[in-house]
Amino acid sequence: MRVLVIGSGAREHALVTALRADESVTSIICAPGNAGIAADIEVLPVEVSNPDAVAQLAVDTKADLVVVGPEVPLVAGAADAIRERGIACFGPSKEAAQLEGSKAFAKQVMSEANVATAQAHSCTTLDEVAKALDEFGEPYVVKDDGLAAGKGVIVTSDRHQALEHADNCFAQGAPSVLVEEYLDGPEVSLFGITDGVDIIALQPAQDFKRAHDDDEGPNTGGMGAYSPLPWAPAGLVEEVTASVLQPMVDAMRRRGTPFVGLLYAGLALTKRGVRIVEFNARFGDPETQVVLARLKSPLGQVLLAAATGKVAELVPLEWREGAAVTVVVASKNYPDSPVTGDVITGIEEANALLDVDVLHAGTRITDEGDVVSAGGRVLSVTAVGDSLAQARERAYAGIDLISLAGSHHRRDIAKRASE
Ligand code: AMP
Ligand code: GLY
């Protein structure tokens, strides 16, 4: 099977790494990729937000399966364009991707599926925002309705800051913003692989969304992750599959817009039970790096089954014993205005460590052959071990060998869970 992977982050580097380990995958191409992916396999340029360009590349590369990593091409309709050309695609249609593309749409489907989420008001003026803030009380949660790479949400006890965020969203053209009830409790990311009818869950992971240690600083795309979650209640995956993932798949199918691909449930385990924080229409980044590091089953066959309506025929997934931890190296000033173009050193040394894999995100190779930063999140240093403590020690040993001027990373990824 020939596979084309679309995207350029550490998530795609993790997908490529796992696909290379599947014997049924005879060729993998990634577009547009990054410096790390290019060191492993062939990469080709593509404009990911142009569905026809993505689909044409699938034809040109004779792909049997296309795996679309990021949300932007999915929301633009890349999966539809690929399937129209008769090529199997792991990724939802444009309409189904609205589960991630519009938070208001997601709330609508959740209500049809009887899935519990935060109460919310969709507001179109600052006056409505102010009223909604006062109704829910602090901490205040204000969200841009559309795609914002994890940066469209503010959670704050400062009413002025909450209003200011809403004002900024409106100023940037958002037709509406959501004001939500605050969900108190640990967050879990659970991924389900679905063909639009059946869904199977992967192992859960936890992401660290804030930029700095102790959950300080602004929200980011994600600064690190670990799996498994030793503190999670037994049976959580089965419960959420039955009460959240399957009902959402059923509701999407009933609407005539079946969801094919990866359904990502962002959960909060509140005192009142499991609540949905958000759905995403694709693999999470950085959670994918740790989840796939633990997956033993052949990834290509699993994704092909989902793309071709055969999830019910899959044998149960197999997982490695032990744990995985990933720590993200972010460029100076990420997430506000990342500084790029600086040389990164120490990648080879870190990769040489036992069970450490340096996955690339925003990197590129210069004409001189240097690897330089080219995005906000630059590397995702991933390690496996017998325990979370060992995986964590290994990941940080890798991190400590890498240097990039002005970069930052968190020191507390998986710290509490491993103690
Ligand atoms: P979202 O873009 O909806 O995924 O939100 C990004 C992050 O903001 C989540 O992962 C949470 O950490 C936080 N967040 C979003 N909504 C809520 C909420 N209702 N209560 C508490 N935290 C939230
Ligand atoms: N790690 C959060 C996300 O992928 O949206």
Side-chain angles (χ1 to χ4, degrees), residues 48-70:
V48 294
S49 58
N50 179 343
D52 282 321
V54 172
Q56 191 54 47
L57 188 65
V59 173
D60 294 345
T61 56
K62 302 189 170 61
D64 300 304
L65 172 69
V66 184
V67 180
V68 182

Side-chain angles (χ1 to χ4, degrees), residues 153-244:
V153 177
I154 196 167
V155 181
T156 176
S157 292
D158 180 343
R159 189 173 178 279
H160 177 74
Q161 209 186 3
L163 278 170
E164 202 171 61
H165 182 67
D167 200 22
N168 283 340
C169 293
F170 288 135
Q172 281 166 26
S176 62
V177 304
L178 284 186
V179 177
E180 278 195 4
E181 162 198 19
Y182 176 74
L183 297 174
D184 194 8
E187 285 184 47
V188 173
S189 300
L190 185 66
F191 302 161
I193 291 194
T194 175
D195 56 9
V197 177
D198 296 292
I199 186 159
I200 48 168
L202 304 184
Q203 289 283 308
Q206 189 170 50
D207 177 20
F208 292 72
K209 290 235 162 70
R210 300 289 189 126
H212 307 302
D213 283 7
D214 302 319
D215 293 332
E216 304 275 351
N219 263 330
T220 69
M223 295 296 292
Y226 66 93
S227 176
L229 312 178
W231 48 267
L236 178 74
V237 171
E238 292 72 19
E239 184 209 319
V240 175
T241 302
S243 67
V244 175

Side-chain angles (χ1 to χ4, degrees), residues 27-289:
S27 140
I28 316 172
I29 293 173
C30 182
N34 57 40
I37 298 173
D40 293 343
I41 59 163
E42 182 183 356
V43 301
L44 292 170
V46 73
E47 198 192 318
V48 294
S49 58
N50 179 343
D52 282 321
V54 172
Q56 191 54 47
L57 188 65
V59 173
D60 294 345
T61 56
K62 302 189 170 61
D64 300 304
L65 172 69
V66 184
V67 180
V68 182
E71 60 275 21
V72 166
L74 293 167
V75 170
D80 310 75
I82 293 162
R83 285 195 271 265
E84 271 163 27
R85 285 159 175 85
I87 299 171
C89 179
F90 183 81
S93 68
K94 181 177 176 161
E95 281 181 289
Q98 284 302 306
L99 269 189
E100 171 161 4
S102 162
K103 293 184 191 290
F105 175 81
K107 294 268 184 207
Q108 172 66 35
V109 182
M110 279 187 258
S111 123
E112 289 169 23
N114 249 319
V115 164
T117 181
Q119 288 181 50
H121 290 300
S122 176
C123 306
T124 53
T125 66
L126 269 190
D127 272 353
E128 282 174 30
V129 171
K131 257 192 226 132
L133 293 176
D134 295 336
E135 181 188 326
F136 291 130
E138 60 166 307
Y140 303 111
V141 181
V142 179
K143 300 186 177 186
D144 193 330
D145 186 49
L147 287 185
K151 292 162 241 162
V153 177
I154 196 167
V155 181
T156 176
S157 292
D158 180 343
R159 189 173 178 279
H160 177 74
Q161 209 186 3
L163 278 170
E164 202 171 61
H165 182 67
D167 200 22
N168 283 340
C169 293
F170 288 135
Q172 281 166 26
S176 62
V177 304
L178 284 186
V179 177
E180 278 195 4
E181 162 198 19
Y182 176 74
L183 297 174
D184 194 8
E187 285 184 47
V188 173
S189 300
L190 185 66
F191 302 161
I193 291 194
T194 175
D195 56 9
V197 177
D198 296 292
I199 186 159
I200 48 168
L202 304 184
Q203 289 283 308
Q206 189 170 50
D207 177 20
F208 292 72
K209 290 235 162 70
R210 300 289 189 126
H212 307 302
D213 283 7
D214 302 319
D215 293 332
E216 304 275 351
N219 263 330
T220 69
M223 295 296 292
Y226 66 93
S227 176
L229 312 178
W231 48 267
L236 178 74
V237 171
E238 292 72 19
E239 184 209 319
V240 175
T241 302
S243 67
V244 175
L245 296 179
Q246 188 66 55
M248 288 298 287
V249 167
D250 295 342
M252 291 299 284
R253 197 182 62 243
R254 275 198 305 271
R255 290 178 144 254
T257 53
F259 186 101
V260 175
L262 192 125
L263 182 60
Y264 164 142
L267 315 167
L269 309 189
T270 75
K271 288 187 200 77
R272 293 178 300 139
V274 173
R275 296 283 182 278
I276 295 296
V277 178
E278 61 168 340
F279 282 107
N280 292 317
R282 36 107 196 143
F283 279 100
D285 187 348
E287 297 96 312
T288 300
Q289 289 86 300

